[in-house]
């Protein structure tokens, strides 16, 4: 299986809560209790030294598993997204299997 990565836009509240995700021109509300974890990346393969105070986003990558809801649809779409800091870029990296027929058609499958 190859690597999948596609840009998304994330809307957050002033307190940092994830509110909405826009992907391929479609806006989704984010369900309650999104899961967050961190993965260590092999920064030493590309960086020889990290200046003090500049390790954010270099050593660890913030990952999220989100349940997305689209108005008018009953089933949720589950995605894993990554947050790249300090640039604040977001990318979807995994689409989970529980995808209903509507989402399958949108993703190019049947």
């Amino acid at each position: 299986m190859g690597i999948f990565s596609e840009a998304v836009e994330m809307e957050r509240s002033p307190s940092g809560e994830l509110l909405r995700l826009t992907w391929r021109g479609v806006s989704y509300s984010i369900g309650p209790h999104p899961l967050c974890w961190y993965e260590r990346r092999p920064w030493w393969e590309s960086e020889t030294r990290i200046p003090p105070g500049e390790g954010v986003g270099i050593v660890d990558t913030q990952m999220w598993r989100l349940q997305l809801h689209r108005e008018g649809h009953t089933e949720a779409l589950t995605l894993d997204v990554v947050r790249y800091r300090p640039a604040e870029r977001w990318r979807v990296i995994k689409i989970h299997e529980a995808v209903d027929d509507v989402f399958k058609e949108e993703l190019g499958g049947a």
Side-chain angles (χ1 to χ4, degrees), residues 6-79:
E6 200 168 299
V8 295
E9 293 178 27
M10 185 67 69
E11 181 183 335
R12 302 177 76 181
S13 73
S15 65
E17 179 185 3
L18 305 179
L19 300 174
R20 298 194 71 71
L21 179 141
T22 302
W23 179 38
R24 296 182 174 180
V26 178
S27 184
Y28 300 90
S29 62
I30 297 174
H33 314 295
L35 299 176
C36 179
W37 70 96
Y38 292 84
E39 289 188 4
R40 178 73 30 113
R41 63 180 281 280
W43 60 269
W44 57 89
E45 292 177 0
S46 62
E47 306 288 335
T48 56
R49 185 178 185 297
I50 299 174
E54 294 187 23
V56 173
I58 295 174
V59 176
D60 293 317
T61 301
Q62 188 179 49
M63 313 289 291
W64 291 86
R65 180 157 299 154
L66 306 173
Q67 289 238 319
L68 306 177
H69 302 277
R70 184 173 173 196
E71 192 171 326
H73 297 274
T74 56
E75 292 193 34
L77 172 64
T78 303
L79 298 178

